[in-house]
Amino acid sequence: MLHFRTEGYNGYAVKYSPFFDNRLAVASSANFGLVGNGRLYILELTPNGIVPAKWFTTQDSLYDLAWSEIHEQQVLAASGDGSIKLFDCTLNDFPVQNWKEHNREVFSVHWNLVAKDRFCSSSWDGTVRIWSPHRSHSLVTLPTHSCTYSAAWTPYSPDILSCVSSDSYLRVFDLRTPASASNHLTLQIPIHAAPVSPIPGKPGVPPAACAPSEALTHDWNKYRPSIVATAGVDRTIRTFDIRAPQQGPQTVMIGHEYAIRKVTWSPHLSNVLLSASYDMTCRAWSDQSAPGAIGDVDIMRSGPSPVMGAELGRMNQHTEFVFGVDWCLFGSEGWCASVGWDESVYVWDVRAVMG
């Protein structure tokens, strides 16, 4: 396990570079993101541990980041002042581009993996916006009318993206549809609507379905195009099949003691995902589908209740809220990085905590 300290800055997000196996970026904020500067770290993994290659200090907190899919040296950062900044690792001090149309904190940015000339952002102002790095203004604005914590493109289509927000809905937009009154909204799934029984044999474990609460994070499965995982304040991870939204969650994973801040599916295995939580742990989970299931070849729920997922292991080195976790795309499957409010970046092997 490797460790790096972001001294004076509390970590909010970490992402591995899609181009270099030894490079990652961290978005962080002074004073826990409540007031003060932000800092974007570019870190490199070396035989001597984690070494800072460069950092950029910003006037406001940074809450998320995304590597460019078209330029290996560029990184997007989401700022608390409502701006999105594009930094170039080969240049000093200033962003090469700056967009500011959101009027509240930008809490997520995500680069399109298919149409690599666009990215999206979500904000507490109740909108998701779509951008091009070649344009000075946003291309499309998608209203959610609710504080939107996470937006992401599906890895299978250039025109489909999703978001989760404080009103407890998973929304899916298709830019190929007419804008009209729906603003490209094609699906709206109430995350907490379906009743779920408590786990058999574990009295006191709360049911997964409850009153609506804020959804903080979500991610598309990398191998099954219709599966999305969501999580948030109610400490529960749910997976949904957008082909059958009326069925409610397909799988439910319960175990975290506080809110879940980040979920991310494995880029190597179709049934494994990682979560990061305010309970100071990162946990690996199986959604209990067949490993390696691709496309339509996956389990479908056979009864009215969702399948109960299984915790595979946990990493508990952090001593404060864990905000970000990301898988490494390269090398042997299982390496990941995590960041938290303890000013710590850890690079570790999921297989080690799984035993």
Side-chain angles (χ1 to χ4, degrees):
M1 183 179 293
L2 303 177
H3 176 257
F4 176 80
R5 186 169 180 220
T6 57
E7 187 170 358
Y9 290 86
N10 311 103
Y12 267 88
V14 60
K15 295 287 174 63
Y16 274 93
S17 166
F19 297 99
F20 302 103
D21 61 359
N22 66 332
R23 182 178 294 181
L24 47 88
V26 172
S28 63
S29 302
N31 304 308
F32 305 99
L34 302 176
V35 65
N37 298 337
R39 181 168 287 179
L40 174 67
Y41 289 89
I42 308 300
L43 305 178
E44 292 191 351
L45 309 179
T46 75
N48 297 319
I50 303 176
V51 175
K54 187 179 286 290
W55 63 71
F56 301 94
T57 302
T58 58
Q59 291 185 337
D60 212 311
S61 302
L62 298 182
Y63 295 128
D64 196 23
L65 61 94
W67 286 94
S68 168
E69 290 290 330
I70 55 177
H71 195 304
E72 68 273 12
Q73 300 290 351
Q74 294 185 348
V75 188
L76 283 172
S79 178
D81 64 2
S83 70
I84 304 164
K85 303 179 190 300
L86 182 66
F87 291 94
D88 191 306
C89 301
T90 64
L91 303 175
N92 292 326
D93 299 332
F94 300 106
V96 294
Q97 201 152 347
N98 186 77
W99 299 270
K100 192 177 188 306
E101 293 183 22
H102 289 292
N103 55 38
R104 291 286 308 276
E105 292 86 342
V106 181
F107 225 58
S108 79
V109 284
H110 191 258
W111 209 286
N112 194 314
L113 299 176
V114 183
K116 298 185 178 185
D117 60 345
R118 65 178 85 161
F119 60 90
C120 67
S121 62
S122 71
S123 169
W124 291 3
D125 66 6
T127 66
V128 174
R129 292 180 186 263
I130 297 165
W131 312 80
S132 166
H134 310 300
R135 301 285 185 89
S136 59
H137 299 285
S138 61
L139 306 176
V140 181
T141 299
L142 305 171
T144 65
H145 308 293
S146 185
C147 178
T148 307
Y149 290 102
S150 171
W153 299 94
T154 172
Y156 306 97
S157 169
D159 299 303
I160 297 176
L161 70 157
S162 57
C163 68
V164 294
S165 50
S166 60
D167 63 359
S168 180
Y169 277 94
L170 166 65
R171 292 177 172 86
V172 179
F173 300 91
D174 189 338
L175 302 181
R176 297 168 297 187
T177 62
S180 65
S182 66
N183 292 291
H184 305 289
L185 181 67
T186 57
L187 190 60
Q188 187 167 270
I189 301 175
I191 294 172
H192 297 86
V196 178
S197 301
I199 302 174
K202 291 189 177 181
V205 176
C210 57
S213 62
E214 293 189 312
L216 303 178
T217 177
H218 77 302
D219 192 34
W220 290 86
N221 189 286
K222 312 302 192 288
Y223 293 91
R224 291 176 285 161
S226 63
I227 302 297
V228 182
T230 68
V233 170
D234 71 346
R235 305 165 291 164
T236 302
I237 302 169
R238 296 172 175 83
T239 69
F240 292 89
D241 191 328
I242 63 171
R243 298 171 300 180
Q246 71 284 352
Q247 290 188 4
Q250 297 291 312
T251 306
V252 171
M253 287 157 266
I254 300 175
H256 277 295
E257 298 170 24
Y258 294 104
I260 299 167
R261 183 60 185 81
K262 183 70 175 179
V263 292
T264 176
W265 288 99
S266 167
H268 307 289
L269 300 170
S270 66
N271 62 339
V272 173
L273 69 160
L274 277 174
S275 59
S277 168
Y278 294 165
D279 66 10
M280 299 184 282
T281 67
C282 295
R283 307 193 188 199
W285 305 85
S286 168
D287 71 353
Q288 301 293 64
S289 63
I294 297 176
D296 293 331
V297 188
D298 54 42
I299 64 165
M300 293 294 289
R301 197 178 67 217
S302 57
S305 296
V307 174
M308 298 307 300
E311 182 181 328
L312 303 176
R314 68 184 69 174
M315 191 281 265
N316 54 13
Q317 293 296 312
H318 286 283
T319 57
E320 256 293 355
F321 294 170
V322 189
F323 267 74
V325 65
D326 190 43
W327 296 89
C328 180
L329 299 173
F330 303 94
S332 56
E333 58 196 46
W335 284 96
C336 68
S338 58
V339 295
W341 271 10
D342 55 359
E343 302 180 1
S344 288
V345 181
Y346 287 102
V347 173
W348 47 286
D349 190 345
V350 176
R351 295 164 299 178
V353 303
M354 290 167 56

